[in-house]
Amino acid sequence: MSTRDLAALDKQVLWHPFTQQQGWSEEEPLIVQRAAGCTLYDTDDNAYIDGISSLWCTVHGHAHPAIDAAVRDQLGRVAHSTMLGLTHAPAIELAARLVDISPPGLSRVFFSDNGSTAAEVALKMAFQYWRHRGETRRTGFICLRDGYHGDTIGSVSVGGIDLFHACFGPLLFNSWQAEPGDIEHMAALLAEHDAEVAAVILEPLVQGAAGILTHPDGYLRAVRELCDQHGVLLICDEVATGFGRTGTMFACEREDVVPDLMCVAKGLTGGYLPLAATLASERIYEAFLGEHEELKTFFHGHTYTGNPLACAAALATLDIFDTERTLDALQPKIALLAELLDEHVAPLPAVGEVRRRGFMVGIELTGFELAERMGHQVTLAARRRGAIVRPLGDVVVLMAPLSITADELRRLVTITADAIAEVAVPALA
Ligand SMILES: *Cc1c(COP(=O)(O)O)cnc(C)c1O
């Protein structure tokens, strides 16, 4: 099919996520045909740097030979076999690897398919844990304002982004929102609701979808201590921060925090296939043990849970962290990224703030009306120059694959700066 026909058909039959279709149908879609390393190619073979890791999940680049080979190899054995009542080697081996690399004490792995389900699973596990312990009043959750844990109803119930979540209010269970980074507020909420709280759920160190909102040093550690004082569980949603994004394998490590439950997804398969996991401590796991008729079973599971192809991709992704020493190689790139942002982006008049933690970057544009869609205009201008970025409102997000080279990183940041300079011209006051 020609590019034109594909574009026309897209507008006829597709409904894109997080997309105002009326605007979409007025623009020419970029149709991705193939990718290699950190570069995406469209149907006319134009090249673009993938500045957002295909929505924060490509870790080692596209078409990595080792991941390609692992998936092909698994394809020769079995593409899918259920985890309900059966098991298979890729899931077993991957669970063991995840336990190995996660904060000590997280000893059980429950697979699902995406970040939202990983969060749903954690919430339901925390809720049911307290039922089994006889503390049936512990049914509520404390989350963070501007938090994001996915788009299913449970994960939206602990979401705090009004733009996405307010509309669904009548469908949601109640939760209490703490001010991000404000430990006094968290302490006050825990003191007030103490005996009704099942768990605190948060994105450790960085709230991604909020626009790369970073927390002060020590906040996560302090939340862990408060949870311990109140006997409340801590759920860390590492869906965005996991697998090297902040500079360490997991963000929790930076403050020596071990959550009771940890959610991972996005980077888990290196951006190849949908897979997620919720890791739990042995204490939580043991509370679910009993005779069949005690009904302590965790009645939750998805058809494609622990899909073997996805597990094979994840195992290969984790191997590459060792063979390519990804995290060591990342440190100088983080330093370079910081320099490039300081030099090219921060001084621009339209840039209010540049927030960064490791390889997660949010460039906040200021002085624009919602209707101007300035984040989107910058995205289009960057695209014309050969880079894919995607905004969250007026925050331009950069989330490059960890495997990006220094030259590609320079190109990505200068293209972004040039795009902002071209279109983001604040109106004269
Ligand atoms: C993206 C994200 C999710 C949702 O993951 P999906 O795979 O899109 O369902 C959950 N939590 C965080 C922190 C995320 O960034």
Side-chain angles (χ1 to χ4, degrees):
M1 220 182 266
S2 72
T3 300
R4 256 181 84 168
D5 290 348
L6 281 170
L9 192 55
D10 176 292
K11 292 174 185 182
Q12 199 181 319
V13 296
L14 271 174
W15 188 343
H16 289 266
F18 280 95
T19 300
Q20 175 44 261
Q21 287 289 128
Q22 189 170 307
W24 174 265
S25 63
E26 288 160 6
E27 287 175 1
E28 274 317 296
L30 192 165
I31 305 175
V32 173
Q33 174 135 296
R34 63 191 177 91
C38 296
T39 308
L40 299 163
Y41 297 88
D42 69 13
T43 39
D44 299 321
D45 226 31
N46 297 307
Y48 308 86
I49 301 180
D50 185 354
I52 51 162
S53 297
S54 292
L55 219 72
W56 314 2
C57 60
T58 306
V59 178
H60 304 300
H62 296 273
H64 192 291
I67 310 178
D68 284 8
V71 174
R72 278 202 196 95
D73 187 54
Q74 183 57 40
L75 204 46
R77 297 171 213 273
V78 57
H80 185 61
S81 171
T82 182
M83 296 291 291
L84 281 69
L86 299 174
T87 190
H88 56 77
I92 297 167
E93 288 167 19
L94 177 59
R97 288 289 294 280
L98 286 172
V99 167
D100 265 354
I101 62 171
S102 294
L106 292 168
S107 54
R108 295 284 165 173
V109 179
F110 189 96
F111 285 117
S112 63
D113 317 341
N114 59 73
S116 309
T117 55
E120 294 274 351
V121 165
L123 296 168
K124 287 175 74 178
M125 278 180 177
F127 177 90
Q128 195 175 341
Y129 168 80
W130 291 116
R131 303 244 128 189
H132 294 332
R133 295 283 303 262
E135 297 203 35
T136 51
R137 284 186 60 215
R138 290 198 181 275
T139 59
F141 293 89
I142 294 178
C143 53
L144 297 188
R145 182 173 55 76
D146 288 326
Y148 180 80
H149 302 286
D151 298 327
T152 54
I153 294 298
S155 56
V156 169
S157 295
V158 291
I161 301 182
D162 280 349
L163 176 68
F164 306 162
H165 301 148
C167 156
F168 299 108
L171 294 181
L172 308 178
F173 60 75
N174 194 28
S175 60
W176 300 285
Q177 276 183 23
E179 281 301 303
D182 179 348
I183 197 64
E184 299 303 321
H185 191 225
M186 179 64 78
L189 280 178
L190 276 164
E192 188 182 348
H193 301 291
D194 190 314
E196 305 154 80
V197 180
V200 171
I201 181 168
L202 52 69
E203 298 159 81
L205 304 195
V206 186
Q207 290 176 242
I212 317 296
L213 206 84
T214 55
H215 298 158
D217 287 342
Y219 176 70
L220 178 64
R221 174 84 249 156
V223 171
R224 172 74 272 185
E225 283 162 12
L226 280 172
C227 287
D228 289 341
Q229 282 162 30
H230 289 271
V232 162
L233 301 176
L234 176 63
I235 303 170
C236 283
D237 178 350
E238 292 255 13
V239 170
T241 50
F243 306 104
R245 277 285 151 211
T246 67
T248 48
M249 190 56 98
F250 298 107
C252 291
E253 289 169 39
R254 306 195 75 105
E255 302 204 350
D256 273 326
V257 161
V258 181
D260 300 284
L261 292 155
M262 185 171 97
C263 310
V264 295
K266 288 195 171 93
L268 174 57
T269 65
Y272 269 62
L273 287 155
L275 182 69
T278 306
L279 284 91
S281 67
E282 205 63 14
R283 168 167 77 118
I284 291 179
Y285 175 76
E286 282 174 355
F288 288 73
L289 298 178
E291 296 301 328
H292 180 70
E293 60 275 16
E294 288 179 72
L295 301 181
K296 288 184 166 180
T297 303
F298 187 54
F299 289 106
H300 185 115
H302 301 280
T303 309
Y304 283 89
T305 281
N307 172 262
L309 293 174
C311 289
L315 279 165
T317 297
L318 294 180
D319 281 343
I320 296 167
F321 272 98
D322 295 334
T323 55
E324 295 184 3
R325 305 183 62 81
T326 303
L327 293 176
D328 292 338
L330 182 61
Q331 306 313 319
K333 293 187 232 180
I334 290 175
L336 174 63
L337 176 60
E339 277 171 36
L340 290 167
L341 290 166
D342 281 348
E343 185 183 339
H344 299 284
V345 176
L348 296 171
V351 173
E353 187 179 32
V354 180
R355 294 184 290 269
R356 188 188 59 79
R357 188 88 203 218
F359 241 32
M360 303 175 82
V361 177
I363 301 164
E364 173 121 34
L365 307 174
T366 51
F368 303 101
E369 301 291 331
L370 184 63
E372 292 181 85
R373 300 188 68 204
M374 195 45 73
H376 182 62
Q377 300 309 327
V378 170
T379 297
L380 295 180
R383 191 181 297 179
R384 293 193 290 271
R385 292 173 157 78
I388 301 298
V389 299
R390 181 173 164 82
L392 286 156
D394 278 351
V395 179
V396 178
V397 174
L398 296 184
M399 192 83 74
L402 307 189
S403 59
I404 195 168
T405 64
D407 279 348
E408 288 168 325
L409 196 56
R410 266 187 212 100
R411 231 167 68 230
L412 175 63
V413 176
T414 47
I415 286 176
T416 305
D418 291 347
I420 295 171
E422 179 197 334
V423 297
V425 183
L428 293 173

